[in-house]
Amino acid sequence: MAEGCVMALRYGMVFFNLLFWLGGCGILGVGVWLSVTQGNFATLSSSLPSLSAANLLIAVGTIIMVIGCLGCVGAVKESRPILLTFFILLLLIFVLEILSIMLFFIYQDKIDHYAQRDLKKGLQLFGTEGNVGLTNAWMIVQTDFRCCGVTNHTDWFEVYNATRVPDSCCLEYSDNCGLDNPGTWWTAPCYERVKDWLNENLVALWIFALCTALTQILGLVFSMTMFCQAVKVETFYA
């Protein structure tokens, strides 16, 4: 009976980590695909130029794959060191996620202020040499969210030193439409538009967060249970 429980636990751990590993492969694949197909599509931030969607997905996918691989190997071999390493890494990530969420809500106003300031600073690099990624990112955001500038369409006036906006701010896109009458431009601030979109999808985001947390908790439970079982077996045969 006990042996059957151990086998069920082992197979459950292997299956769980196999799904974990496959999920990491999928995220890594999407990141690589974005990196290859989108080319210079980068970040809106001027201070964190490497913080692109592709790079984030590649980093997250790699970490998940490594942890999933550790869990699978630890479960198959019933190796205490590997199971303990898997548990510690997963616990560390879980704690960091909780702390990040707490700090985000505590310092939300300061984060908003810093983000808006950094995004406005990034506008100065729009259309300049070597910043094709940032330029493309702003064009996509303004087109998709039907907005203009960070906090106001007038943010672009300081960039161009004229009453002008990028063509992606236009209600109907055409070459040099950003030079036309302001009545033909989007005027909604992009920062608020993106925040509104996140609030509209808040339920989906929380469901995703809860599913992620539940997956991590199951991984912690499985790994520690197998670790304790391995200790009992080793003590029994000692």
Side-chain angles (χ1 to χ4, degrees), residues 29-165:
V30 172
V32 172
W33 175 79
L34 276 178
S35 180
V36 172
T37 59
Q38 299 299 323
N40 289 319
F41 183 88
T43 175
L44 299 176
S45 172
S46 59
S47 59
L48 297 170
S50 297
L51 191 64
S52 64
N55 290 343
L56 282 174
L57 289 174
I58 290 172
V60 171
T62 302
I63 291 171
I64 291 176
M65 282 179 62
V66 171
I67 293 176
C69 187
L70 275 176
C72 281
V73 174
V76 171
K77 292 183 173 294
E78 294 187 23
S79 170
R80 288 190 302 162
I82 297 178
L83 287 170
L84 187 59
T85 301
F86 173 83
F87 178 85
I88 292 172
L89 287 175
L90 199 57
L91 180 63
L92 181 62
I93 291 172
F94 185 73
V95 171
L96 287 174
E97 288 171 350
I98 297 297
L99 286 175
S100 298
I101 292 172
M102 291 175 62
L103 289 173
F104 174 79
F105 284 109
I106 292 172
Y107 297 103
Q108 189 170 4
D109 291 339
K110 290 184 178 180
I111 291 172
D112 276 344
H113 176 72
Y114 172 80
Q116 291 179 28
R117 185 182 63 184
D118 188 57
L119 289 170
K120 286 184 177 180
K121 184 179 177 182
L123 294 183
Q124 302 294 330
L125 302 176
F126 184 87
T128 59
E129 185 178 353
N131 290 290
V132 178
L134 184 142
T135 301
N136 290 341
W138 267 113
M139 290 175 67
I140 291 171
V141 168
Q142 291 183 146
T143 301
D144 290 352
F145 286 93
R146 298 182 177 183
C147 58
C148 193
V150 180
T151 57
N152 198 298
H153 69 284
T154 56
D155 293 337
W156 291 108
F157 295 176
E158 298 178 13
V159 177
Y160 290 109
N161 291 319
T163 306
R164 180 187 175 184
V165 297

